[in-house]
Amino acid sequence: MGRSRRTLPEELLLLALDPTTGTTAQPQSLDLGLAGAQLVELALAGRIAPDGDRIAVVMPRPTGDPTLDSALELLRRRGSPVRAVHWIGGPRLGLRQVYLAHLERCGMVHAVAGQMCGVLPTTRYQATDTAISRDIRSRLDSAIRTGVPPDPRTAALAALAHSVGLGKHLYPGNEGRSSRSRLRDLIRHDPMGGLVAHAVMDVQNGAAAQPRRNPSTTPAPTPNGGRQPALTMQPRRGGMARVAAH
């Protein structure tokens, strides 16, 4: 995979990066979204494919992107298709920091050291080329305003942005309500993006224990206002299943 095209995890992170504060919106759910974005990018590269609500490796050949190839190798080692919701809710969180460091190495952002309350060290990240972020945002804006079905990559980005609660960050207030609604509706234009976005929301809602219906026939739920609930599954007959929060 050449570096001429930005990957979906990179685009999702740049979309969430606030140019004023240098911090990312929705930091907790963003980890889940980045894990989902890796799956969609691997599917677009022909390495994995959906198998119902599961993900199957169909070509284990590396993509050339180290972060994606690490995820691909973990999927390959599973040996059998894995439910998207279990993969996204698994112990591979911390992806936000992994990708911030990755973007810094690629020269897309630079770190700015600082202090909180004059004591605690902090790090903010500024985009080195704001034109890249504007291009990503304009693709979403165009898909929302024109009503023209977007390409699979943009549709998947919209689905992921909705799933992690970026709608209120991108289109705030009452004036952004219709845009947030159309952002959510774009989820139907890419089956893989829709599957992954639903899985991200299921993990946030603690519904990972229950198999989903086909996402193309299931209405898209609304994220919980950007809050990250405990990752505790719903009680099931015969016992309690639980996903530990990270």
Side-chain angles (χ1 to χ4, degrees):
M1 178 181 297
R3 294 301 302 148
S4 60
R5 169 176 285 176
R6 296 177 299 273
T7 66
L8 276 172
E10 293 168 355
E11 291 196 328
L12 182 65
L13 185 52
L14 288 170
L15 198 62
L17 191 62
D18 190 308
T20 303
T21 65
T23 60
T24 54
Q26 307 301 108
Q28 292 177 304
S29 57
L30 191 56
D31 271 342
L32 303 175
L34 290 170
Q38 287 185 320
L39 293 181
V40 180
E41 189 65 48
L42 287 170
L44 289 171
R47 299 319 196 260
I48 65 174
D51 181 6
D53 66 346
R54 296 176 183 269
I55 302 297
V57 175
V58 294
M59 184 189 298
R61 179 166 56 86
T63 66
D65 182 298
T67 51
L68 290 176
D69 289 340
S70 176
L72 179 62
E73 177 61 14
L74 287 173
L75 285 166
R76 186 193 66 79
R77 289 178 184 176
R78 292 291 185 96
S80 59
V82 59
R83 287 185 63 198
V85 71
H86 287 164
W87 171 263
I88 291 168
R92 285 169 313 285
L93 302 186
L95 281 177
R96 183 170 55 99
Q97 289 302 323
V98 169
Y99 268 100
L100 282 170
H102 170 72
L103 290 180
E104 187 177 16
R105 289 193 301 271
C106 293
M108 287 194 238
V109 302
H110 69 273
V112 180
Q115 288 184 330
M116 180 183 296
C117 302
V119 179
L120 299 176
T122 62
T123 304
R124 296 181 296 112
Y125 293 87
Q126 299 292 337
T128 56
D129 186 351
T130 56
I132 294 177
S133 298
R134 288 198 302 270
D135 172 68
I136 297 169
R137 176 65 182 271
S138 68
R139 282 164 44 210
L140 284 187
D141 290 346
S142 177
I144 285 172
R145 291 170 182 165
T146 65
V148 176
D151 61 275
R153 182 172 293 274
T154 301
L157 181 63
L160 290 161
H162 168 70
S163 71
V164 300
L166 285 183
K168 289 186 177 180
H169 167 70
L170 299 170
Y171 307 104
N174 288 331
E175 65 275 14
R177 184 176 299 173
S178 61
S179 293
R180 293 195 299 270
S181 177
R182 288 194 288 272
L183 180 71
R184 178 198 63 211
D185 291 342
L186 289 175
I187 203 171
R188 71 181 187 274
H189 289 292
D190 180 60
M192 184 65 180
L195 168 67
V196 168
H198 280 295
V200 169
M201 290 184 282
D202 277 352
V203 173
Q204 293 181 80
N205 293 329
Q210 300 297 329
R212 285 198 65 88
R213 291 174 292 173
N214 188 323
S216 64
T217 61
T218 306
T222 301
N224 294 331
R227 294 172 296 174
Q228 177 76 4
L231 301 184
T232 303
M233 298 180 181
Q234 297 298 317
R236 297 180 65 185
R237 193 177 307 170
M240 173 73 76
R242 185 172 65 85
V243 174
H246 296 273

